[in-house]
Amino acid sequence: MEFPRYHKAIVGDLLDGKFILATDAKFIELKNHTDFYGKFFKETFDFYLDIKSDYAYLISEETIEMLSRDICIFIGLLCYELDKEGKNFLDEIQYAEFDLEMIDNLLDNSSYTDLIQNNNQLKNSEARKQFLGTLNRRNIIDRNSDKKFTFTPAYKVFMDFAKNFAKGKLAATGTEEE
């Protein structure tokens, strides 16, 4: 059987939880064979392939991993703290370069200390540094140096989740009040 170019790398990356970014040659191959890969991942692993204009990733309805939760918490806290400083957090996440020291200062001085201290990925500077390494391996951030990074378009998955979560909460609250 003949598979599309980069097949092994595409499957390996997606199964490892990586986002395949539009800047990667594998993304073009994945996009050119969307039907094949959609069917392949559904029938083989019962995963859904989601391809956006600038990234692709897998979705599983049966997962016990906690990384997605930790990423949502990290991005949520970062956005909250940036907003508190009067910055447009959406512009910052999309365009700014972040420094580990700045992240440490924001989280160490956050009013959400209990949440941060109870999260093994965010509880201190060393844990955050390792967490950022995980985010880099998953293509959620690009490391510009050991202490500086930018977000890739993959951050949008977590923003969309937060937006949908908030809409659901607001809808539930609106229903209860009526």
Side-chain angles (χ1 to χ4, degrees):
M1 174 177 233
E2 190 168 321
F3 291 102
R5 189 174 175 205
Y6 308 121
H7 176 72
K8 189 174 182 179
I10 289 169
V11 171
D13 283 356
L14 290 172
L15 289 177
D16 283 344
K18 284 186 175 183
F19 288 79
I20 297 181
L21 304 175
T23 54
D24 189 331
K26 293 177 282 196
F27 182 82
I28 307 249
E29 200 67 21
L30 186 59
K31 204 151 176 151
N32 288 340
H33 296 90
T34 300
D35 291 339
F36 167 78
Y37 280 108
K39 186 176 178 182
F40 173 82
F41 283 110
K42 180 65 182 146
E43 290 181 7
T44 308
F45 303 102
D46 201 25
F47 293 159
Y48 297 95
L49 175 64
D50 196 354
I51 302 177
K52 304 292 187 190
S53 61
D54 41 7
Y55 59 90
Y57 66 105
L58 290 178
I59 301 169
S60 171
E61 296 197 12
E62 295 182 27
T63 182
I64 57 168
E65 64 91 20
M66 300 304 279
L67 181 61
S68 295
R69 179 205 64 172
D70 292 342
I71 295 168
C72 286
I73 291 170
F74 172 68
I75 292 175
L77 287 169
L78 181 60
C79 290
Y80 175 80
E81 295 300 332
L82 290 170
D83 185 60
K84 203 165 80 174
E85 288 188 348
K87 296 180 179 177
N88 182 326
F89 64 85
L90 288 175
D91 284 346
E92 293 289 314
I93 295 282
Q94 189 168 4
Y95 302 113
E97 180 178 68
F98 292 89
D99 182 275
L100 184 56
E101 185 176 329
M102 187 262 300
I103 297 293
D104 284 341
N105 286 333
L106 286 175
L107 296 183
D108 289 344
N109 296 308
S110 175
S111 55
Y112 289 96
T113 307
D114 289 344
L115 178 63
I116 294 165
Q117 289 303 311
N118 289 313
N119 185 300
N120 289 333
Q121 305 273 11
L122 303 175
K123 64 183 176 184
N124 58 43
S125 183
E126 188 55 40
R128 290 179 208 131
K129 190 174 182 179
Q130 290 176 11
F131 180 62
L132 292 176
T134 299
L135 297 183
N136 186 59
R137 283 189 301 282
R138 301 278 180 117
N139 290 333
I140 298 166
I141 65 168
D142 278 328
R143 289 292 266 295
N144 302 335
S145 71
D146 192 38
K147 295 186 180 201
K148 294 186 183 282
F149 68 93
T150 55
F151 282 92
T152 70
Y155 80 89
K156 295 174 188 173
V157 168
F158 304 98
M159 293 298 228
D160 287 345
F161 173 80
K163 183 171 48 175
N164 291 333
F165 181 77
K167 283 181 184 176
K169 283 287 195 187
L170 290 174
T173 303
T175 308
E176 290 172 8
E177 290 175 3
E178 293 175 86

